[in-house]
Amino acid sequence: MKHYKEDNLTVSNLGHLKKLMCFLHELVLFILVYLAFIQVPKEIDWKAYITQGSELWEWQMAVSDLFQERPIWHKDSLNECLLDKGFKFNIQMLRRLLLAVAYYFSGGPFQRLWIRKGYDPRKDPESCIYQRIDFRVPLPIRSYCDSSTNKLKHRWEDLCKFRVFPNKCQTSLQLYELDDDYIKQEIRKPSKQTTCTYETGWFSQQTFDSLKLCVMVRFLRVYPKSGAEKLLKATSEDFEKSKRACIYKDAIKHNQEKPQKINKEIINDEGNENHGHVDDAERDDIESDDHEEELDAYEATDLGGEDSEFSLLSHSYLDMGANSRSYLQELFDSFPLADAGVDKLADDASSDGEFQIYDQEDDENYTDDNNDDE
């Protein structure tokens, strides 16, 4: 009877142990996934895995050099730069070259922009100049984009200089490349935001709205057909109002900060010279009011918590769940099949005149396919 009870106790302990192991397994997975989401991919030494002087080396070096010029690129802009340099890749090859040196978010202020590995724009306020901005063709003139006669692809430079009207209903652009005095002026101002938010990045909502209205006005001015005059007038008025609102807001903030500094100096002087006296009740009221102002300011910045890194994840970059899954999935999908072998890679390279490269983040798996042809 005693032995039976011990067996039951053993079975019970095993059950608890299994539950504990399952819990620990899930906890470890959660920690690993969380760390993968908040940490951007590290830079890899691709030069150690490609034969110097080979065609693949030349291709990869051309892409890498562009990311040394600036850390964040729009894919269309980067592709046009490569074309101007005499390089022409299909979509698959360009993506593989990019994945060797860059990554992207699938949401947020840098959505689908290619970012140099090791660089995190969420931690650098100066990255605001590289943020993405979208132009959506207004509904009243959207039929222009649906017309089959307007499918000719524009040069990226012409779009960024507002020489042509987009032929797609939605076009993503990069602030850094837009040729407009107002935009250049605004993005070069020091960021007053304490965190990079999912919706507007390092800009305030008011400033970002003004930037979008500016883009809208510039494109409506080059709309090639009639019918956009009223829309342009209304948008221009909204843009001017938005600019005045930004100026007014900055002026109020400046005027509020200046008296506070003066008052502090006066209070300090009076305290030192014993010219004034504040009783305990008044002091409590002042401290209470100051505390409420601090809370209001804190809430206005939308930090989302004490940990600024986690506050970023709470929107996009736990959307970065989706973001990282999307990015990592593309890496995994590009892994060569084990049974494909070197021969198939050589056949593919000879069939289209382009070499394939592996695009894993793991340095050990990053290889030079050109060695197979030697």
Side-chain angles (χ1 to χ4, degrees):
M1 188 69 177
K2 185 178 180 181
H3 180 69
Y4 175 77
K5 287 183 178 179
E6 289 179 350
D7 289 344
N8 282 344
L9 184 61
T10 302
V11 171
S12 176
N13 288 341
L14 286 174
H16 287 302
L17 183 59
K18 287 181 179 179
K19 289 181 180 179
L20 178 61
M21 293 299 293
C22 289
F23 171 77
L24 291 175
H25 178 69
E26 292 177 358
L27 179 61
V28 170
L29 285 178
F30 173 81
I31 293 173
L32 290 175
V33 170
Y34 177 75
L35 290 175
F37 291 166
I38 65 174
Q39 295 179 357
V40 300
K42 296 180 180 180
E43 186 177 2
I44 64 172
D45 183 17
W46 60 266
K47 295 180 181 179
Y49 303 95
I50 301 180
T51 302
Q52 186 171 359
S54 65
E55 189 173 29
L56 180 57
W57 173 281
E58 183 182 5
W59 294 351
Q60 191 65 73
M61 183 62 75
V63 174
S64 182
D65 285 346
L66 291 177
F67 282 96
Q68 295 305 315
E69 292 178 14
R70 73 175 196 246
I72 305 177
W73 284 82
H74 192 291
K75 186 179 72 174
D76 290 345
S77 175
L78 186 139
N79 187 45
E80 189 163 291
C81 284
L82 290 171
L83 286 173
D84 292 341
K85 293 176 181 291
F87 297 98
K88 186 175 182 180
F89 309 113
N90 58 35
I91 296 176
Q92 182 183 11
M93 188 61 196
L94 177 59
R95 181 174 292 274
R96 294 194 172 196
L97 293 170
L98 285 170
L99 285 171
V101 295
Y103 71 99
Y104 64 86
F105 294 121
S106 64
F110 302 95
Q111 180 182 7
R112 292 289 173 177
L113 298 178
W114 286 90
I115 306 167
R116 186 178 66 223
K117 284 185 177 180
Y119 177 68
D120 191 345
R122 301 169 301 172
K123 298 179 180 179
D124 181 12
E126 294 184 1
S127 68
C128 66
I129 65 175
Y130 301 117
Q131 283 184 209
R132 163 179 167 152
I133 192 166
D134 292 337
F135 170 72
R136 292 178 175 83
V137 177
L139 284 173
I141 58 174
R142 190 161 292 183
S143 59
Y144 172 81
C145 300
D146 299 331
S147 174
S148 59
T149 59
N150 300 318
K151 296 304 180 182
L152 181 64
K153 187 174 182 179
H154 298 306
R155 275 186 59 84
W156 184 255
E157 181 183 2
D158 291 337
L159 283 171
C160 293
K161 291 183 178 296
F162 301 104
R163 296 170 180 164
V164 293
F165 190 83
N167 52 22
K168 296 189 296 183
C169 292
Q170 177 175 336
T171 302
S172 66
L173 303 158
Q174 195 174 12
L175 289 169
Y176 176 81
E177 298 183 302
L178 300 183
D179 188 10
D180 180 86
D181 292 338
Y182 174 78
I183 293 175
K184 290 179 180 179
Q185 169 189 306
E186 290 301 312
I187 67 175
R188 292 297 179 181
K189 291 180 179 179
S191 177
K192 298 178 181 179
Q193 303 298 109
T194 57
T195 56
C196 179
T197 64
Y198 180 76
E199 293 80 10
T200 60
W202 291 104
F203 296 103
S204 66
Q205 186 67 57
Q206 185 74 50
T207 300
F208 198 69
D209 289 343
S210 294
L211 293 172
K212 289 193 292 185
L213 285 169
C214 179
V215 172
M216 177 75 75
V217 169
R218 291 299 306 270
F219 276 129
L220 288 176
R221 286 177 182 172
V222 295
Y223 183 67
K225 295 185 177 181
S226 61
E229 294 80 10
K230 292 183 179 180
L231 189 59
L232 174 58
K233 182 180 179 181
T235 306
S236 298
E237 291 174 355
D238 290 341
F239 175 45
E240 293 302 322
K241 290 178 182 178
S242 182
K243 285 198 296 183
R244 289 196 296 269
C246 288
I247 296 172
Y248 180 70
K249 185 177 180 181
D250 290 341
I252 289 179
K253 187 173 182 180
H254 177 73
N255 291 333
Q256 286 177 343
E257 292 174 352
K258 190 173 181 180
Q260 287 178 359
K261 294 179 180 179
I262 295 174
N263 290 336
K264 286 181 180 179
E265 293 175 358
I266 294 174
I267 291 172
N268 290 335
D269 292 341
E270 291 177 347
N272 293 332
E273 298 175 7
N274 296 320
H275 289 315
H277 174 71
V278 179
D279 60 31
D280 293 338
E282 290 177 341
R283 184 178 292 108
D284 291 340
D285 290 340
I286 292 172
E287 290 177 354
S288 177
D289 292 340
D290 289 343
H291 179 64
E292 289 177 0
E293 289 178 1
E294 289 174 2
L295 284 177
D296 291 341
Y298 177 80
E299 291 170 357
T301 58
D302 191 26
L303 292 177
E306 294 181 359
D307 188 341
S308 60
E309 184 67 26
F310 185 76
S311 69
L312 293 175
L313 293 172
S314 64
H315 295 296
S316 99
Y317 315 110
L318 268 195
D319 240 348
M320 231 183 119
N323 304 345
S324 295
R325 281 196 299 271
S326 174
Y327 167 70
L328 293 174
Q329 187 60 49
E330 290 196 5
L331 284 179
F332 296 151
D333 290 344
S334 63
F335 287 179
L337 297 176
D339 59 354
V342 176
D343 293 337
K344 186 177 186 303
L345 289 173
D347 292 340
D348 291 341
S350 61
S351 63
D352 57 11
E354 296 180 350
F355 293 98
Q356 300 296 319
I357 64 170
Y358 297 173
D359 50 4
Q360 291 93 320
E361 286 187 271
D362 188 350
D363 291 359
E364 295 180 357
N365 293 329
Y366 191 82
T367 60
D368 178 6
D369 293 336
N370 286 343
N371 291 335
D372 298 326
D373 298 329
E374 295 176 354

